[in-house]
Amino acid sequence: MNRKKLFVALLMAAVAISACKKTSEPIDESEPIVAEDIASFKETASIDLGGETSAEISAYDPSTKKLFVVSNEGGAKVEVLDLTNYPTVTKAKTLSYPSNAGINSVAVNNGLLAIALDGADKQGNGDVVVLKTSDLSEVKKITVGAMPDMVTFSPDGNYILSANEGEPNDDYTIDPIGTVSIINVKSNYSVKTLDFAGFESQKAALVAGGFRIYGPKASFAQDIEPEYITVSSDSKKAYVTLQENNGVAEVDIVSGTITKINPLGTRDISLAENAFDVSDKDNKIALGTWPIKAFYLPDAISYFTTGGTSYLALANEGDTRAWKGYDEEARVKSLKLDPAKFPTAASLQLDANLGRLTVSKAFGDTDGDGDYDELYATGGRSLSILNASTGALVANIGKDLEQRVIDAGKYDDERSDNKGVEVEGVTVAEVNGRTLAFIGLERVDMIAVYDVTNPASAKFVQLFATGDAPEGVLFVKPKDSPNGRSLLVVASEGDGTVKFFQPNRI
């Protein structure tokens, strides 16, 4: 062995030993650590798929080096991209589903592609279509619940799960139940679709913990709206965000049961560590404290393990029920505030203060007298990290996240009265022995990277620009990527671009 090869071998060994100490976990020899600089992600390739809604969620198949991208431009489609000659990325094929009202998600495992499609009617049952990634031939089409918003495989490939959101129609006259479908791949794709009716008896306790049940004339099961799924590394449990409801459900995949719902509570914006910028009309960008609370309302969720403990990372985007038949949104200045709880109401309701902030008028009149005793903003503007076993909040990356964007000169003050940077997506992965959270910020068109190897003391790593309104955030391990380096794929729905980011080798 020459000196250069010996030096590289010693460096790799040192990195591996260091990683073991930092994560308290053994190194998997089948996946050796690639020495990479975690703070050096930069764009290495890009492709424009044609404009707004033409790039939303993506999934990668390492065996064929194909990337599958959800597109709703001109109908429900999957764009098939060829990464064989990366960094050259080319469009190889388009899969179209004209009979379906929309397409929401894709996932890949072991040579199979799963596609989540709305039915012909969005409020009717949807479909999960399974194809072979090799020749794109159809293997199976499975009927699932209404509006399958996200589809994923269990890590062992034995199950496909879909979060069926069951949103109402615009008039709010039809409101399907929200469900979770479990498809058993090994049992000829048999499906079991679970609903939440069994939790009706727990409604009072859940609401007391900050869970939201409030749709007009909706049963408990109808009111639940599953959004996104992540699966434990042993493929036994799934965790599902219930975005509009402000909670996370736990699912036992093997038994096919929903075991519990964890209400997420609220962030107290009167505390310095939770400061918000609440006005787009104050001629400044400044994070401050206010007498309000904020529902987290998470979108994406990612499961990860570090230091022998499992966690959930939640992208607290915020979302409301804003339909023609029912709209919960209101500006603070339009509400009647309780004079005892808000003695400075006249000042608070100025546009330069809280007046412009979007809040939920469905919550806050605690004594039922027609005025508001509390104010609830619609979105956590943060990334929360929960203990996966207990549901306890371990960390909340919010103020620091928005301040980093402000310091970079990228904060959009026009969004201060709504969702701030709008934390839309998250994926957590290991790079160079460190556990990194890649956080998609929809309203500032950026990815924020935090080191969450020690989740209780997350550390900022990097901030970089993406396309317009990043939606899908996908990480590809070095052993699976087309060029042997860590690869972050970001699909942006605002401009239809898919951008690829990689760190420098060290």
Side-chain angles (χ1 to χ4, degrees):
M1 182 181 292
N2 62 35
R3 291 184 180 181
K4 183 176 180 181
K5 289 184 177 179
L6 177 61
F7 174 77
V8 171
L10 290 171
L11 175 62
M12 296 293 288
V15 169
I17 292 170
S18 174
C20 287
K21 291 178 179 178
K22 290 171 182 173
T23 64
S24 302
E25 293 180 326
I27 295 299
D28 184 350
E29 293 183 0
S30 67
E31 294 186 23
I33 290 176
V34 176
E36 296 174 319
D37 178 1
I38 64 172
S40 66
F41 276 83
K42 62 183 178 182
E43 184 179 324
T44 54
S46 179
I47 187 170
D48 187 342
L49 294 181
E52 190 173 1
T53 74
S54 61
E56 298 184 14
I57 301 296
S58 68
Y60 175 74
D61 177 40
S63 64
T64 61
K65 295 182 173 56
K66 292 174 182 172
L67 185 76
F68 303 92
V69 184
V70 165
S71 172
N72 276 290
E73 184 183 41
K77 297 182 293 186
V78 176
E79 301 290 3
V80 184
L81 307 184
D82 183 358
L83 274 62
T84 303
N85 298 312
Y86 191 86
T88 299
V89 179
T90 57
K91 185 159 70 170
K93 191 172 184 177
T94 299
L95 308 176
S96 297
Y97 296 89
S99 299
N100 297 84
I103 180 171
N104 303 309
S105 182
V106 285
V108 167
N109 185 283
N110 195 30
L112 295 175
L113 167 68
I115 305 170
L117 295 155
D118 292 330
D121 170 11
K122 274 185 174 289
Q123 278 65 52
N125 286 336
D127 301 309
V128 170
V129 179
V130 181
L131 310 179
K132 292 181 181 179
T133 58
S134 56
D135 60 8
L136 302 178
S137 61
E138 184 173 310
V139 176
K140 201 78 172 179
K141 183 178 181 180
I142 307 106
T143 299
V144 294
M147 201 176 299
D149 201 43
M150 194 268 186
V151 66
T152 191
F153 282 87
S154 58
D156 62 11
N158 291 337
Y159 298 93
I160 302 170
L161 297 96
S162 67
N164 311 315
E165 189 168 10
E167 283 186 339
N169 64 348
D170 197 35
D171 290 334
Y172 226 112
T173 56
I174 303 173
D175 187 6
I177 62 173
T179 58
V180 177
S181 293
I182 303 174
I183 300 166
N184 190 327
V185 174
K186 302 300 183 182
S187 180
N188 194 30
Y189 298 91
S190 61
V191 61
K192 186 175 184 180
T193 295
L194 315 174
D195 67 41
F196 292 80
F199 290 88
E200 180 87 44
S201 62
Q202 299 180 29
K203 178 179 175 179
L206 290 168
V207 169
F211 200 63
R212 307 201 318 160
I213 297 291
Y214 63 106
K217 299 179 182 179
S219 67
F220 189 95
Q222 286 176 308
D223 204 77
I224 301 297
E225 295 189 5
E227 183 79 20
Y228 212 95
I229 304 176
T230 190
V231 182
S232 61
S233 55
D234 63 5
S235 299
K236 292 181 179 179
K237 290 185 178 181
Y239 302 89
V240 185
T241 54
L242 312 176
Q243 185 171 27
E244 284 81 359
N245 309 106
N246 196 44
V248 175
E250 181 182 290
V251 179
D252 185 314
I253 298 174
V254 179
S255 68
T257 57
I258 301 170
T259 51
K260 64 181 177 182
I261 294 175
N262 179 30
L264 296 176
T266 57
R267 289 185 72 192
D268 185 348
I269 312 306
S270 70
L271 302 177
E273 63 264 29
N274 294 330
F276 270 15
D277 187 337
V278 297
S279 177
D280 60 338
K281 300 296 183 184
D282 58 355
N283 298 315
K284 61 181 179 181
I285 298 174
L287 303 179
T289 57
W290 300 91
I292 57 175
K293 296 177 182 178
F295 291 116
Y296 289 96
L297 309 177
D299 187 338
I301 182 172
S302 183
Y303 175 97
F304 68 101
T305 300
T306 181
T309 302
S310 297
Y311 300 92
L312 302 172
L314 278 64
N316 299 315
E317 174 200 18
D319 203 2
T320 59
R321 288 182 169 141
W323 306 99
K324 184 173 69 175
Y326 173 73
D327 187 351
E328 70 172 295
E329 291 187 359
R331 303 279 190 183
V332 171
K333 66 182 178 182
S334 71
L335 301 178
K336 181 181 179 182
L337 305 186
D338 184 279
K341 298 294 179 66
F342 298 100
T344 60
S347 175
L348 285 174
Q349 291 181 297
L350 295 174
D351 282 356
N353 294 322
L354 282 178
R356 293 273 300 163
L357 181 67
T358 300
V359 294
S360 174
K361 60 185 177 186
F363 302 89
D365 182 6
T366 58
D367 55 14
D369 65 354
D371 59 26
Y372 284 81
D373 310 283
E374 295 179 332
L375 294 171
Y376 290 93
T378 55
R381 305 190 189 188
S382 63
L383 182 88
S384 292
I385 299 176
L386 309 183
N387 182 295
S389 297
T390 67
L393 180 65
V394 176
N396 198 66
I397 307 168
K399 180 182 178 181
D400 183 77
L401 178 63
E402 293 206 304
Q403 190 62 56
R404 298 283 180 177
V405 175
I406 293 169
D407 292 345
K410 300 296 184 180
Y411 186 84
D412 182 359
D413 194 32
E414 291 185 2
R415 300 298 299 174
S416 293
D417 60 321
N418 201 324
K419 301 175 185 177
V421 296
E422 198 161 334
V423 181
E424 171 91 4
V426 62
T427 190
V428 181
E430 281 203 10
V431 179
N432 201 35
R434 307 301 295 177
T435 304
L436 303 183
F438 298 91
I439 309 166
L441 310 178
E442 183 175 5
R443 293 299 177 176
V444 294
D445 308 335
M446 304 192 85
I447 295 289
V449 186
Y450 277 78
D451 186 336
V452 295
T453 307
N454 180 359
S457 58
K459 295 179 173 60
F460 173 77
V461 174
Q462 193 183 0
L463 190 66
F464 55 85
T466 64
D468 182 15
E471 175 80 9
V473 184
L474 171 71
F475 183 84
V476 180
K477 297 177 182 179
K479 74 179 184 67
D480 293 331
S481 85
N483 63 357
R485 294 164 55 192
S486 293
L487 180 67
L488 188 75
V489 184
V490 181
S492 298
E493 63 177 350
D495 60 6
T497 61
V498 181
K499 292 182 179 290
F500 303 82
F501 303 87
Q502 296 188 288
N504 294 329
R505 284 280 183 90
I506 56 175

